[in-house]
Amino acid sequence: MENAQLIGLSRQIALQRQMDVVAHNVANINTTGFKAEQILFEEYTMPVARDRTFPTMDQPLSYVQDWATIHDLSSGTAQQTGNDLDVAINGDGFFAVQTAAGERWTRAGSFGISNTGTLVDQSGNPVLGTGGPIQFGPEETGIAIGADGSISSSEGAKGRLRIVEFANAQELTREGQNLFAGGTPIAATRSQVMQGYVERSNVSGVAEMAELIRVTRAYESIASLTSKQDDLRRTAIQRLGDANA
Amino acid sequence: MKALYIASTGMSAQERNVEVISNNIANMRTTGFKRQRAEFQDLLYQQVTRAGAQTSDQGSQVPAGLEIGSGVRTVSTPRVMSQGTVSMTERELDVAIRGEGFFQIQLPDGRTAYTRDGSFERSAEGTLVNSVGYTVDPGITVPGDARGISIAPDGTVEAFIGTDSAPTQLGQLQLARFTNKSGLESMGDNLFLETAASGAPQVGVPNSDGTGDLLQNYLEMANVNSVTEIADLIAAQRAYEMNARVISGADQMMQATSQLR
C-alpha cells in the first residue's frame, strides 16, 4: 500500500533536484561563458520478493533516480564588448587557467591584466599560454589576439593562448567561478578565438521556463497522488474498522 | 528548497547588473567616463555523484557526475578602458588624451588622483586646475597676461606673455600609465586612485613609451554606447523576471507539499 507513496516520494525528490538545476541555470543566464546543466533521470527497478502462489506475479516496482547532470556545451552568443582583453572561443575549446589546485578550464574569456602584468581571469588566476602564463610589460600597448590565439603587442609576439579540447567533455566537473576541472585535455584543432567579444551564457530562457512549468506541474500531480493514496487508506481503515461491517 | 535561495542569488545579481547599467547611462555625457560591465561567476557545486566513481568491480565508471549548482555571484565590475570619442570644444584649456594614460591631479589631502577628464581651468593664481579646482600635477602656472595658450601633442604648454612675439614655455603636462588600469579605484568626480591591484603609476611625457598624445581644444567623451546599454538593460530585466518566476515556481511546489494531509 505504501509503495505508491514511496515511489511518488522518489519522484518528488528528483523533481526538487531538477528545480534546483533550473534555478541555477536561470541564475546564471547572464554569466559569461556559463554552460547550462541538464539533469538526467533513470528508472530504478526495485528487486522485490517474488512468489508464484498468486495467479499474477508481483510486479517489479520502478522508482525514479536522478542519475547525472550533463553539460550543455553548445556555444553561447558572442557579444561584442570592444575590450582588447575579452576573448570568445568559436568551437569546442576551453581556455586553460592556473589555479592553486592545478590547471582548470573555462569558457569565460573576459580577462584582465594583474598589477604584475600577467594575463588573468576575473578571479585573478593566470591564463595559460602554450608556454605558461602570459606576461605584459608596463609600456606595451595595442594588444592583439589572432584567431589562432597568438598574442602580440607593440613589443612583438607574446605567445599563444593555450586552448584545449576534450574527447569527452562530459567528464569535466564544475568547480564554480566559471571553472571546469578534470578530463584529458588535447590540443585544440577545431577552435578559433575572437578578440573583443565575450561568450554569453548559453542558457535559453524559454526552455528553462517551460521546464520550470513542467516541473511544478509534475510535482503538484505527485502531491495530489500522495493525498489520494492517503484518502484511500483512510477510507479503507474506516470501512474495515466499522463495527457494523 | 534550494531553488528558492539559488533564484534569490540570481535576482540580486541582476539587480547589481541593472545598477551598473544605470550608472553607465547616467554618465553617458560625463567627460572621460569609462563604462563598467558586471561580471558574474557560478557558485559552488554540490557533488551528489562524482564523475568517474566506480560502479562495479569490473571497473565501470559513472560517465557524468550529478552536480547541483548553488547560484551566481557578481565577481567584479571591470571598467572598459577603450578610447571614447573626442569632441571639439574650441576651449584652449580642454585637452583630450588620444591613447593610453591619465592626467595626474593633486588632491587637497596630498594624494594623487588620475583622470581622463581634461577639461582644465585656471585658478585665481593662474594655476592649471581641474573643474573641481584641484591642481594638475606637474603644476603649470599661466600668467594673467598670457594669451594664445597652446598645448602640444607631447604636453608642452606655451603661451605668449604680454606683448612678446615669441612664445614662452610654461611647463609640460605628464601622463601616468598603469599595468592594470581596470584595477584603479573610482573615487567619483571623474577621478581614479591607485590600488594594489593597479600597480604603481609609470609617469612619462605624452607621446613616448606607449603613452598617448594630447589634443588641445578637444574633450574625450564617455565610451558608453547607448544601444549596448539598453540591450543589456533589457537582458538584465528579463533575467530578473525569470528568476522571480523560479521563486514562485519553487513556492508553488512547497505549497503543494504543505497542503498534503
Side-chain angles (χ1 to χ4, degrees), chain A residues 66-88:
Chain A
D66 40 0
W67 166 70
T69 45
I70 54 164
H71 318 300
D72 172 2
L73 291 167
S74 60
S75 288
T77 325
Q79 183 190 18
Q80 190 166 16
T81 61
N83 206 348
D84 285 349
L85 295 173
D86 284 342
V87 203

Side-chain angles (χ1 to χ4, degrees), chain B residues 186-213:
Chain B
S186 322
M187 62 169 287
D189 294 345
N190 291 354
L191 299 176
F192 296 103
L193 289 173
E194 172 193 345
T195 65
S198 68
Q202 288 114 31
V203 181
V205 294
N207 219 353
S208 72
D209 297 334
T211 46
D213 55 3

Side-chain angles (χ1 to χ4, degrees), chain B residues 226-237:
Chain B
S226 54
V227 182
T228 319
E229 298 301 332
I230 298 297
D232 282 353
L233 179 65
I234 294 171
Q237 188 185 350

Side-chain angles (χ1 to χ4, degrees), chain A residues 153-170:
Chain A
S153 75
S154 56
E155 303 285 299
K158 302 302 291 183
R160 221 178 116 194
L161 285 170
R162 181 167 168 226
I163 314 282
V164 294
E165 285 173 3
F166 296 90
N168 173 20
Q170 291 301 338

